Amino acid sequence: MRRNVRWGVQYASDDEQIEHSLIMSFKELRKNIFSWQNHWHTIDPVLYLQPFLDIIKSDETGAPITGVALSSVYKILNLQILDSETVNVDNALHLIVDAVTSCRFEVTDPASEEVVLMKILQVLLACMKNKASISLNNHHVCSIVNTCFRIVHQASSKSELLQRISRHTMHELVRCIFSHLPDLDDKSHELAHGSKSSPNAEDNVAEPSHTLQDKQDVDAYTSAESDSKKDDSTHVKDSTSTADSSMMDPYGVPCMVEIFHFLCSLLNVMENIEVGPRSNPIAYHEDVPLFALGLINSAIELGGASFGNHPKLLALIQDELFYNLMQFGLSMSPLILSTVCSIVLNLYHHLRTKLKLQLEAFISTVLLRIAESKHGASYQQQEVAMEALIDFCRQPMFVTELYANYDCDISCSNVFEGLANLLSRSAFPVNSPLSAMNTLALDGLIVLLHGMAERVGHDSSGPGEASLELQEFKPFWTLRCHDYDEPLHWVPFVHNMKNLKRMLMTGVDHFNRDPKKGLEFLQGLHLLPDKLDPRSVACIFRYTMGLDKNLIGDFLGGHDEFSVLVLHEFARTFDFQDMNLDTALRIFLETFRLPGESQKIQRVVEAFAESYFEQSSDILVNKDAALLLSYSLILLNTDQHNSQVKKKMSEEDFIRNNRNINGGNDLPRDFLSELYHSISENEIRMVPDQGGASGILTRSHWLGLTHKAKQTSPYIVSDSGSHLDYDMFAILSGPAIAAISVVFDHAEQDYVLQSCIDGYLAIAKLSASYNFGEVLDDLVVSLCKFTTLLHPSFNERSILYFGDDIKAKMATIAVFTIANRYSDHIRSGWRNILDCILSLQKIGLLPARLASDATDELEPPSSDNDQVKTSASHSPPSQVPPATPARKSSGIMSRFSLLLSYDSEEPAPQPSEEQLAARQRTLQAIQNCHIDTIFAESKFLQADSLLQLVRALVMAAGRPLKGNNNSLEDEETAVFCLELLIAITLNNRDRIMLLWQNVYEYIANVVQSTVMPSSLVEKAVFGLLRICQRLLPYKENLTDELLKSLQLVLKLDARVADAYCEQITQEVMHLVKGNAMQIRSHMGWRTIISLLSITARHPEASEAGFETLSYIMSDGAHLSPANYVLCANAARQFAESRVGNVERSVRSLDLMSGSVICLVTWFYQTKEAAGEEAAIKMSEDILEMWMRLVQALRKVCTDHREEVRNHAITLLQRCLTGVDGIRIPTDLWLQCFDLVIFTLLDELPEMSNQLSPKDYRFIEGSMILSIKLMSKVFLQSLRDLSLSNSFCQLWLKVLGCMERYMNMRFRGRRSEKIHELVPELLKNTLLVMKTSGILVPSDPVGGDSFWELTWLHVQKIAPSVQLEVFPGEELEKLQENRAKSGCSPLSEGNVLVPPNETTA
């Protein structure tokens, strides 16, 4: 102050003048300050602040002095001398604010002025940030904000530094004030008085601001927008009271309401600007709205959800703020749009439950439309809108809530569906390469899909359980959920509402084509009652989206009685309580188009006036007044906004036209004036927007929306569960796959490709989780196209490109990742996956043991199977079915070697380093696919998927069979598929019947269509055998089915069978040794024995075949009634076969003979059979088996090899005489003599005639054995035979045979040995018969007697035998005795000698 000219001169003067009070106050402060020894908190701050404040308020000081004073106050505030405990701190702060907001100083130069303005900002901000700021009242806080805002405007003509500091200070102030909001409670006095505080506060704030403006002589409002703002605020405050005590309370909600309203009003300038599809709504500089939007965003960020606790703040957001945000959202400025989107995102995060319809309007009318490039939006705007949508989608439950609150609400549009379609369409590139918009849309799709995929399993639910058809009519527009907070309640509710909405939208389409038929259709769906009532139709018109508003207007204006009733019910659905007439009319006419005919207009307006008067009768005395005034407003609207009307109606004209209409009295002038200005400034649109198609948000439309918001259902807040993801994925999946595929096709950048793959995998996860099998198949088909593996030209050369083709490698890994993770849900997609695998197989890129790795672990640990494995390992490679051909394991090099084998003169080209490196990269990629796991884990596949996989394999393997000229490559493919088929079959032994039909039919097709040996038929045969080996131990109920399949081997072409006979027999041997106990049926054994019998005459296979047969028959280990005859015949074939040595034939005969023990054992078991019939049946079966055995032996008895023949006769005799445990009936003995013994004795002489003289001695021994056999068997069975009526005939045949052998000659010479043997045998037989009482003299009367016939034949054989058996004296004595007794020589009383005595 001393340095200042004014103060310095005064200070230096010698005149005795009283010093200026400003100087005196500082001197007084200096005197006192050092005397205050106590703590500063106890000193009244006014004492040391007042001198500085006097300087600030003084208009005598210049800018530098005022600046120093401000700095001093700022220092005191920053030193935290003042706090809530300081004495009189509230008064001190009030004084500081009053002084600073009314600061006066002389402007000497611009720089010093700016310094003071900056310091004013500093001090005011320091006041708000001080700990004691809580003692400031609402009025002072509003003054602070208003002062700062005026400095912001003044700064526009000042330096850049002041502009930035002032704006920054304004932001800090707003943050500081609204950060206090969460700590406040919504107190009752705020509710009661807050509505009137805002205008008054503005009035109080304005006074010091004007003072500041006048003092500085600086026009802070040079811009048009500032003038309009000031005029607007003045208009508001004139109509309100100036006294409001709440502004004197400690600052809280009232000042925040005022400040927030002030910030929102900065945006109201939009209302006065013409908005069109191609006009720029922000015609002036975008700086003001951007600044205001930034402040609003800061307030919302810090106030957060607390705004919802204070009705007036919430009302500002719901109405004024959101309306302006919608308007600015449609501006041409990308920067403004971006800021608006940030605010709306914050509002969604904090207040979405209170802003249901506002958010719907913003997303559908602003974001979706701009992103779709409608209404002339620039590319930058599209990008901003798309980024904003994606930001919304990144909110955890945004998409679920979007679907639940809008798509499942009959009165809202399908916002989620629109979003999904937009993202899908926008991802499609119009021209290659991709644009930023395409990748943005792709990101949005990926975000949606990832969000759903992450929620899988979190209380997921399937599709809506609500029935698709209503059983009876219910007024669905009144339906409400019992509990919108509990998913158990609201999830079924929204499912039901979505189904209703789908049906309703179908009805809407019908109505828009033909209203009458549309209503009938809705009746058919039970959405309207069978007998139409006016109320229901009115509610359909009122609450249903998508109806043609022209048709609604025509219907409501109809003259028929029903239409009139519907019209009046329709008018009653509106809530006009406490609503201005023009607002009510706007809301009413927003729901339909007013018809053009005057009569229809009259009916409609009458219904409106009646409804309005019933609800709002404060000013109007009757409904006629309401009717006349409504008509007048419609006429005024046409007059003011029709371009064809040249002379517009003035306010006075309007008031004059409405005289005496209120029951003969005039309406209040202010009331009519307000109506006039409302209509003239904001047109009532008689052609309402059809679902927002025009993109222009009118005030009428917004009023309708806010009115609708009061009646809408509560906003549903979803938890982290995937309650509605099934339905959303059903909408999103198809477009998403198409869009991602197109982007993947055009993309070049790695990150875009990776995004696409992430999207594919998310879709796969969702498809599997929600059982969308067709979607998963479509996905697999799409991905397989990008692998390049299915291209017809894919070959070994392609490896060079595949190794470096990032897109192909990523697609390939993705395909097999899906096949591994979600194989349960793949159906037709298996074909494409297999085609990819086959392409890799053709060029040798698959693991060497792809198929066998899947089944080796299934080998049972038993010792028998260990032997099988050991023997198999020493057999040729063709014998091990599942192993991939060796050349596959070594890739390209082996293929070169293969080519060498075709033409040894052609040198094999060696791969270059580049080729080897490319191959290595390719192999690494294929290794990452884990293809082998697909088949190794097939046992865990669901039945449907497994069946489709098997069918795909059969189809892929069956292709070579359809053509005649099959290349080696085609055959290798078929072999590979067959290996996989066998591996899968073995892996799924528990579900063999599911696969068996397909597998068997394919193998049968291969076997029956092959005429020459090949690797395919080899794989088929040995695969079938291996399946049987593996499955027989586990599947007893399928034993017959499996063994029956082996009959295919019997159907092999002779050349094929011959080539593989030895290996087949080895496999059959392993099968029998491992599973003999499981084979029980006759049919099963017949198949096995048939396979063994074939080998009897095969040089290589006979040894294994005989070993197998020996295993079955030795000691009767595995003989049973089911296989006895089969084994006996097979053993006979081995005995007759000359492929092996004589020793094997002898062993075969021993097997046959040894099997009699089993027959005896079984015969004893017949006694234990349940029931007599069962025992008889078992006995008959055993006798039949014995008969078959001896017949088989008899056939070998004529073998040309002496040792075999004689051994067979010996064993035949043993089988005939060694069956003591079996009771053989007489008839069977007779049959045995006829079919076996006599036949043998007949065949041997015939056979001898065919031999050379040197072989005679060999046959002679056999004949001796056979005649002995006959004698012994006859004597063995004599006791039973003698009781038969046919005994005499049999005896004569025996004698006839002896006679024939006695007279037999070989080459003209008789056999001495036989000549000696026959009489001896005859004599022995006659002696036994004599002893047994069978052969006794008889009376010849009545024909030839047994006695006479016997001796008649004996005489021809050996005449001397009779006297040896019956000496003369003994014979006479016998004849006398017989004559006396007259008994028959074969009486039943004769006692025969026991068999053991007759065989001596």
Side-chain angles (χ1 to χ4, degrees):
M1 290 175 72
R2 291 188 184 113
R3 293 177 58 188
N4 183 273
V5 174
R6 176 188 299 174
W7 304 101
V9 171
Q10 200 172 36
Y11 183 77
S13 173
D14 294 332
D15 300 335
E16 292 183 3
Q17 297 179 2
I18 298 174
E19 287 188 300
H20 196 281
S21 60
L22 297 177
I23 295 288
M24 291 295 293
S25 63
F26 276 108
K27 288 186 175 182
E28 190 67 27
L29 176 61
R30 174 169 288 179
K31 289 178 185 176
N32 296 329
I33 196 165
F34 294 106
S35 64
W36 295 332
Q37 299 298 324
N38 296 326
H39 198 275
W40 281 99
H41 288 170
T42 62
I43 306 300
D44 185 351
V46 176
L47 296 176
Y48 52 81
L49 283 173
Q50 193 63 53
F52 299 102
L53 300 181
D54 291 341
I55 294 289
I56 293 171
K57 289 191 290 184
S58 173
D59 54 1
E60 298 179 12
T61 55
I65 296 174
T66 304
V68 173
L70 287 167
S71 296
S72 301
V73 174
Y74 176 69
K75 183 177 180 183
I76 291 170
L77 290 170
N78 259 13
L79 288 174
Q80 298 297 327
I81 295 173
L82 302 179
D83 58 25
S84 57
E85 298 177 2
T86 305
V87 175
N88 201 26
V89 67
D90 50 348
N91 187 40
L93 281 178
H94 293 169
L95 290 172
I96 293 174
V97 172
D98 287 339
V100 176
T101 54
S102 58
C103 172
R104 298 169 180 273
F105 62 92
E106 293 178 357
V107 178
T108 55
D109 62 280
S112 59
E113 177 193 358
E114 290 187 16
V115 170
V116 173
L117 293 176
M118 287 185 202
K119 290 186 177 181
I120 288 174
L121 294 171
Q122 280 184 333
V123 173
L124 292 178
L125 181 59
C127 282
M128 287 305 304
K129 288 189 173 182
N130 193 275
K131 293 178 181 179
S133 63
I134 55 174
S135 59
L136 287 172
N137 62 34
N138 290 305
H139 168 77
H140 284 116
V141 172
C142 290
S143 298
I144 290 171
V145 172
N146 204 10
T147 302
C148 289
F149 183 74
R150 289 182 177 276
I151 294 175
V152 169
H153 269 285
Q154 291 181 45
S156 60
S157 60
K158 309 292 182 184
S159 68
E160 180 75 16
L161 178 62
L162 180 61
Q163 292 178 34
R164 291 181 180 274
I165 288 178
S166 61
R167 287 170 181 266
H168 174 73
T169 304
M170 193 72 182
H171 275 284
E172 287 296 310
L173 276 176
V174 170
R175 290 192 184 101
C176 185
I177 293 166
F178 282 91
S179 64
H180 186 48
L181 181 60
D183 303 328
L184 298 175
D185 292 326
D186 189 14
K187 298 178 183 177
S188 59
H189 71 271
E190 291 171 348
L191 289 168
H193 304 291
S195 59
K196 296 181 180 179
S197 67
S198 301
N200 184 52
E202 191 166 335
D203 184 27
N204 292 333
V205 172
E207 280 188 335
S209 300
H210 281 298
T211 307
L212 178 62
Q213 179 188 6
D214 296 339
K215 169 190 166 187
Q216 294 177 309
D217 297 325
V218 176
D219 184 7
Y221 288 91
T222 55
S223 61
E225 63 269 22
S226 301
D227 290 336
S228 66
K229 163 67 190 79
K230 187 165 65 175
D231 293 342
D232 180 60
S233 63
T234 304
H235 173 70
V236 174
K237 65 189 176 186
D238 286 345
S239 62
T240 58
S241 171
T242 56
D244 192 355
S245 61
S246 68
M247 294 306 290
M248 296 299 118
D249 294 337
Y251 91 90
V253 174
C255 75
M256 294 183 194
V257 170
E258 170 55 30
I259 293 167
F260 201 76
H261 175 69
F262 169 67
L263 296 178
C264 292
S265 65
L266 291 176
L267 306 175
N268 284 340
V269 67
M270 284 294 298
E271 293 186 358
N272 301 318
I273 296 174
E274 183 68 26
V275 181
R278 296 197 171 275
S279 65
N280 183 357
I282 308 297
Y284 60 95
H285 197 271
E286 63 184 14
D287 183 61
V288 174
L290 272 178
F291 177 59
L293 290 169
L295 294 175
I296 290 169
N297 198 25
S298 296
I300 293 169
E301 284 175 343
L302 288 159
S306 300
F307 276 94
N309 299 328
H310 307 287
K312 281 189 287 300
L313 284 172
L314 181 61
L316 283 171
I317 292 175
Q318 288 173 325
D319 190 359
E320 187 174 359
L321 174 61
F322 235 106
Y323 175 68
N324 286 317
L325 291 178
M326 296 280 289
Q327 296 282 25
F328 277 98
L330 295 170
S331 77
M332 299 300 288
S333 167
L335 194 54
I336 288 180
L337 176 60
S338 178
T339 310
V340 168
C341 291
S342 297
I343 294 173
V344 177
L345 185 60
N346 278 324
L347 288 172
Y348 165 80
H349 184 70
H350 296 297
L351 297 170
R352 59 184 181 274
T353 57
K354 309 289 199 315
L355 301 170
K356 178 177 176 179
L357 296 189
Q358 288 87 343
L359 287 168
E360 177 202 9
F362 184 80
I363 293 171
S364 57
T365 308
V366 178
L367 294 184
L368 292 180
R369 294 190 177 282
I370 291 177
E372 286 174 356
S373 185
K374 291 189 176 180
H375 317 304
S378 66
Y379 186 80
Q380 288 79 9
Q381 285 176 285
Q382 291 177 56
E383 275 197 279
V384 171
M386 187 65 76
E387 287 169 350
L389 284 170
I390 296 170
D391 286 340
F392 274 105
C393 293
R394 288 194 174 100
Q395 306 309 306
M397 297 310 297
F398 169 76
V399 180
T400 303
E401 292 175 4
L402 202 67
Y403 184 78
N405 287 292
Y406 305 125
D407 292 58
C408 297
D409 190 327
I410 59 170
S411 60
C412 297
S413 56
N414 291 335
V415 183
F416 170 77
E417 204 167 321
L419 174 63
N421 290 334
L422 167 73
L423 293 175
S424 303
R425 286 198 306 270
S426 301
F428 275 81
V430 179
N431 298 308
S432 196
L434 294 174
S435 68
M437 197 68 176
N438 300 140
T439 53
L440 263 179
L442 175 69
D443 287 343
L445 280 175
I446 305 303
V447 167
L448 290 185
L449 293 167
H450 269 289
M452 293 184 197
E454 288 171 3
R455 289 193 295 271
V456 164
H458 295 180
D459 300 323
S460 59
S461 61
E465 299 174 1
S467 60
L468 295 179
E469 293 186 5
L470 298 177
Q471 300 302 318
E472 58 181 11
F473 166 73
K474 291 181 182 177
F476 56 86
W477 51 87
T478 63
L479 293 178
R480 290 291 182 269
C481 180
H482 298 302
D483 185 357
Y484 283 94
D485 298 323
E486 175 53 56
L488 292 175
H489 289 98
W490 69 255
V491 171
F493 175 75
V494 297
H495 277 146
N496 183 48
M497 294 308 291
K498 182 61 178 176
N499 289 328
L500 273 174
K501 188 174 183 180
R502 287 194 185 101
M503 293 189 288
L504 197 57
M505 290 303 104
T506 310
V508 166
D509 291 339
H510 282 76
F511 179 88
N512 290 342
R513 289 196 294 268
D514 185 332
K516 184 178 179 181
K517 292 182 178 177
L519 294 177
E520 290 174 356
F521 182 81
L522 289 171
Q523 283 179 291
L525 294 176
H526 299 294
L527 293 171
L528 281 174
D530 294 337
K531 183 179 180 181
L532 284 180
D533 65 277
R535 177 71 181 174
S536 299
V537 176
C539 289
I540 285 279
F541 290 165
R542 179 77 169 87
Y543 301 113
T544 303
M545 292 285 293
L547 290 173
D548 189 322
K549 295 185 177 182
N550 295 319
L551 296 176
I552 297 176
D554 289 337
F555 191 99
L556 293 175
H559 61 81
D560 59 285
E561 182 183 356
F562 185 74
S563 295
V564 173
L565 292 172
V566 170
L567 171 61
H568 284 272
E569 288 292 343
F570 181 79
R572 290 190 190 98
T573 61
F574 292 86
D575 178 15
F576 295 139
Q577 194 76 29
D578 301 325
M579 194 177 289
N580 287 341
L581 181 65
D582 65 314
T583 302
L585 192 59
R586 290 178 194 277
I587 292 171
F588 184 68
L589 295 179
E590 186 65 31
T591 55
F592 63 95
R593 179 177 183 176
L594 194 64
E597 299 177 27
S598 59
Q599 292 180 342
K600 290 185 176 182
I601 293 174
Q602 180 181 354
R603 282 190 288 271
V604 170
V605 177
E606 281 178 358
F608 164 75
E610 182 179 336
S611 177
Y612 179 79
F613 177 73
E614 289 173 357
Q615 299 180 59
S616 294
S617 55
D618 296 341
I619 297 175
L620 302 173
V621 298
N622 54 37
K623 66 179 180 181
D624 291 336
L627 173 63
L628 290 170
L629 190 54
S630 300
Y631 255 119
S632 184
L633 289 179
I634 292 173
L635 292 172
L636 175 64
N637 186 72
T638 305
D639 174 87
Q640 294 293 309
H641 300 288
N642 191 325
S643 59
Q644 295 179 356
V645 178
K646 302 302 181 185
K647 186 179 178 181
K648 304 294 183 182
M649 188 186 304
S650 67
E651 182 178 345
E652 288 300 324
D653 294 336
F654 176 72
I655 294 173
R656 185 171 58 253
N657 291 342
N658 289 288
R659 284 178 182 169
N660 304 324
I661 66 171
N662 195 22
N665 297 319
D666 289 344
L667 289 164
R669 183 180 181 87
D670 291 345
F671 175 70
L672 292 174
S673 178
E674 185 179 348
L675 288 177
Y676 175 83
H677 286 290
S678 174
I679 298 297
S680 61
E681 291 170 11
N682 290 299
E683 178 188 3
I684 299 176
R685 295 181 65 86
M686 296 300 179
V687 184
D689 184 12
Q690 293 277 9
S694 68
I696 301 171
L697 182 69
T698 64
R699 191 68 192 174
S700 298
H701 184 67
W702 185 256
L703 287 172
L705 186 144
T706 52
H707 177 71
K708 180 181 171 184
K710 297 173 184 176
Q711 300 174 328
T712 190
S713 58
Y715 187 96
I716 296 171
V717 179
S718 176
D719 56 17
S720 59
S722 56
H723 309 295
L724 303 175
D725 286 353
Y726 179 96
D727 301 312
M728 292 191 291
F729 183 65
I731 295 170
L732 184 63
S733 57
I737 291 178
I740 294 174
S741 297
V742 173
V743 174
F744 193 70
D745 191 23
H746 287 78
E748 300 295 336
Q749 301 93 335
D750 291 357
Y751 75 92
V752 179
L753 294 174
Q754 187 58 51
S755 292
C756 292
I757 293 298
D758 292 342
Y760 277 129
L761 294 177
I763 293 173
K765 181 178 180 180
L766 290 164
S767 301
S769 301
Y770 298 128
N771 292 314
F772 281 88
E774 292 182 3
V775 173
L776 191 58
D777 290 333
D778 291 344
L779 180 64
V780 169
V781 170
S782 297
L783 264 175
C784 286
K785 292 176 183 175
F786 297 116
T787 63
T788 70
L789 300 176
L790 304 184
H791 199 277
S793 62
F794 189 82
N795 51 33
E796 289 166 1
R797 292 182 181 178
S798 305
I799 295 177
L800 298 176
Y801 308 106
F802 187 85
D804 296 320
D805 189 341
I806 296 174
K807 186 182 296 185
K809 285 198 293 187
M810 291 174 81
T812 303
I813 292 173
V815 166
F816 291 111
T817 301
I818 291 170
N820 273 302
R821 288 184 189 172
Y822 313 115
S823 51
D824 272 347
H825 306 274
I826 299 174
R827 300 292 183 267
S828 60
W830 281 122
R831 279 185 248 169
N832 301 78
I833 294 171
L834 278 176
D835 287 341
C836 293
I837 293 175
L838 293 178
S839 293
L840 295 171
Q841 179 263 341
K842 286 176 184 175
I843 57 173
L845 287 177
L846 289 183
R849 292 177 57 80
L850 181 64
S852 57
D853 283 346
T855 53
D856 281 349
E857 62 183 29
L858 290 176
E859 292 285 359
S862 64
S863 58
D864 288 344
N865 280 285
D866 289 342
Q867 294 174 4
V868 173
K869 289 171 70 175
T870 306
S871 61
S873 65
H874 294 295
S875 61
S878 61
Q879 196 171 323
V880 186
T884 312
R887 58 178 171 273
K888 292 293 177 227
S889 61
S890 55
I892 277 184
M893 298 303 295
S894 65
R895 300 286 285 181
F896 290 151
S897 304
L898 188 62
L899 292 173
L900 273 178
S901 66
Y902 296 147
D903 189 355
S904 57
E905 296 178 1
E906 226 177 278
Q910 294 298 319
S912 65
E913 290 185 8
E914 181 187 356
Q915 287 175 314
L916 290 173
R919 177 178 178 74
Q920 190 58 40
R921 289 193 295 272
T922 304
L923 281 172
Q924 185 61 45
I926 300 305
Q927 187 177 353
N928 293 338
C929 293
H930 304 292
I931 299 174
D932 52 335
T933 312
I934 298 173
F935 304 100
E937 301 296 324
S938 64
K939 57 180 170 287
F940 302 117
L941 279 180
Q942 288 185 4
D944 288 347
S945 180
L946 178 63
L947 191 58
Q948 292 295 335
L949 172 57
V950 168
R951 286 176 179 167
L953 274 169
V954 169
M955 186 177 293
R959 289 171 197 158
L961 299 176
K962 295 175 183 176
N964 295 325
N965 301 322
N966 296 330
S967 64
L968 175 64
E969 195 172 73
D970 287 339
E971 186 177 348
E972 289 175 354
T973 298
V975 169
F976 178 74
C977 290
L978 185 55
E979 289 175 356
L980 294 178
L981 201 57
I982 293 165
I984 290 171
T985 305
L986 294 175
N987 260 341
N988 290 275
R989 64 188 183 206
D990 294 329
R991 300 185 285 180
I992 182 66
M993 288 313 296
L994 181 69
L995 318 176
W996 183 242
Q997 189 65 28
N998 291 287
V999 176
Y1000 175 76
E1001 286 178 1
Y1002 176 70
I1003 292 177
N1005 191 15
V1006 172
V1007 169
Q1008 293 171 3
S1009 63
T1010 307
V1011 294
M1012 293 296 290
S1014 67
S1015 56
L1016 180 59
V1017 72
E1018 175 187 358
K1019 192 66 65 179
V1021 170
F1022 292 115
L1024 183 61
L1025 285 163
R1026 190 172 188 216
I1027 289 171
C1028 291
Q1029 285 181 32
R1030 290 288 186 85
L1031 299 185
L1032 280 175
Y1034 305 101
K1035 292 292 174 183
E1036 292 186 14
N1037 57 326
L1038 297 178
T1039 302
D1040 290 347
E1041 187 73 26
L1042 292 169
L1043 293 175
K1044 183 181 178 182
S1045 68
L1046 293 181
Q1047 293 177 5
L1048 287 176
V1049 181
L1050 301 171
K1051 299 177 183 179
L1052 282 170
D1053 184 272
R1055 289 166 289 189
V1056 178
D1058 186 63
Y1060 303 121
C1061 191
E1062 183 180 2
Q1063 295 97 318
I1064 291 172
T1065 311
Q1066 290 279 355
E1067 293 298 321
V1068 173
M1069 178 175 69
H1070 301 151
L1071 187 149
V1072 171
K1073 287 186 176 181
N1075 306 286
M1077 295 300 292
Q1078 280 76 34
I1079 307 172
R1080 296 187 177 91
S1081 70
H1082 174 73
M1083 190 210 71
W1085 278 115
R1086 186 175 64 190
T1087 306
I1088 295 293
I1089 302 303
S1090 299
L1091 290 169
L1092 296 177
S1093 300
I1094 293 172
T1095 66
R1097 289 175 173 77
H1098 194 281
E1100 292 84 11
S1102 59
E1103 188 61 39
F1106 181 71
E1107 183 182 343
T1108 308
L1109 187 64
S1110 300
Y1111 176 79
I1112 298 170
M1113 297 184 69
S1114 294
D1115 301 324
H1118 299 291
L1119 279 176
S1120 67
N1123 67 2
Y1124 186 87
V1125 175
L1126 296 167
C1127 290
N1129 286 328
R1132 175 186 62 78
Q1133 291 184 44
F1134 276 100
E1136 292 175 341
S1137 171
R1138 297 196 179 190
V1139 171
N1141 52 28
V1142 172
E1143 181 186 352
R1144 193 170 72 198
S1145 296
V1146 170
R1147 287 169 56 202
S1148 300
L1149 293 170
D1150 290 337
L1151 290 175
M1152 296 170 73
S1153 173
S1155 67
V1156 176
I1157 299 170
C1158 292
L1159 294 178
V1160 175
T1161 304
W1162 297 337
F1163 197 84
Y1164 278 120
Q1165 292 171 354
T1166 59
K1167 299 173 183 177
E1168 302 171 5
E1172 185 178 348
E1173 290 184 8
I1176 294 172
K1177 180 68 172 66
M1178 287 178 63
S1179 300
E1180 290 175 353
D1181 291 342
I1182 293 168
L1183 293 172
E1184 175 67 19
M1185 287 181 241
W1186 175 77
M1187 188 65 191
R1188 293 289 189 91
L1189 173 66
V1190 295
Q1191 284 181 307
L1193 278 170
R1194 191 268 305 164
K1195 292 180 181 178
V1196 188
C1197 290
T1198 57
D1199 193 279
H1200 287 268
R1201 294 167 295 176
E1202 181 188 15
E1203 187 177 346
V1204 174
R1205 185 173 61 244
N1206 291 345
H1207 194 65
I1209 296 171
T1210 304
L1211 294 179
L1212 177 61
Q1213 178 180 319
R1214 185 181 300 169
C1215 290
L1216 289 170
T1217 59
V1219 286
D1220 298 347
I1222 304 175
R1223 184 186 179 283
I1224 299 174
T1226 307
D1227 291 343
L1228 190 59
W1229 276 121
L1230 294 172
Q1231 190 179 357
C1232 183
F1233 271 92
D1234 285 339
L1235 298 178
V1236 178
I1237 299 173
F1238 294 149
T1239 304
L1240 173 61
L1241 291 170
D1242 290 343
E1243 288 176 348
L1244 285 174
E1246 293 176 6
M1247 184 179 168
S1248 66
N1249 293 330
Q1250 299 169 5
L1251 298 175
S1252 60
K1254 65 180 179 178
D1255 293 329
Y1256 166 74
R1257 66 180 183 277
F1258 301 132
I1259 197 68
E1260 184 182 22
S1262 301
M1263 294 173 75
I1264 291 171
L1265 288 172
S1266 62
I1267 199 72
K1268 286 181 178 179
L1269 178 147
M1270 181 187 69
S1271 177
K1272 289 183 179 180
V1273 173
F1274 182 77
L1275 293 175
Q1276 170 85 13
S1277 57
L1278 182 58
R1279 179 184 176 185
D1280 293 330
L1281 291 173
S1282 63
L1283 301 176
S1284 171
N1285 294 330
S1286 304
F1287 177 70
C1288 184
Q1289 293 177 357
L1290 175 65
W1291 170 238
L1292 293 177
K1293 286 182 181 180
V1294 171
L1295 293 175
C1297 285
M1298 289 184 174
E1299 182 181 350
R1300 190 165 67 253
Y1301 269 65
M1302 192 69 181
N1303 298 326
M1304 189 180 298
R1305 294 180 178 275
F1306 298 99
R1307 304 294 181 182
R1309 297 164 51 192
R1310 69 180 184 182
S1311 170
E1312 294 297 332
K1313 293 180 180 179
I1314 294 175
H1315 204 71
E1316 293 174 1
L1317 175 64
V1318 171
E1320 190 64 32
L1321 292 174
L1322 180 59
K1323 177 184 173 182
N1324 188 33
T1325 303
L1326 291 170
L1327 285 171
V1328 173
M1329 291 174 72
K1330 170 189 171 183
T1331 307
S1332 304
I1334 295 172
L1335 186 62
V1336 293
S1338 62
D1339 186 2
V1341 178
D1344 296 333
S1345 67
F1346 180 79
W1347 173 267
E1348 291 177 345
L1349 289 172
T1350 299
W1351 295 117
L1352 184 62
H1353 281 278
V1354 170
Q1355 289 297 326
K1356 297 176 181 178
I1357 300 169
S1360 59
V1361 170
Q1362 184 174 8
L1363 291 176
E1364 294 178 14
V1365 175
F1366 287 98
E1369 296 175 0
E1370 185 179 350
L1371 180 60
E1372 291 175 1
K1373 187 176 179 180
L1374 279 172
Q1375 287 175 342
E1376 289 177 2
N1377 293 337
R1378 296 301 292 178
K1380 290 177 182 179
S1381 63
C1383 295
S1384 168
L1386 294 176
S1387 71
E1388 293 182 1
N1390 293 338
V1391 178
L1392 299 181
V1393 182
N1396 57 351
E1397 295 182 11
T1398 62
T1399 56

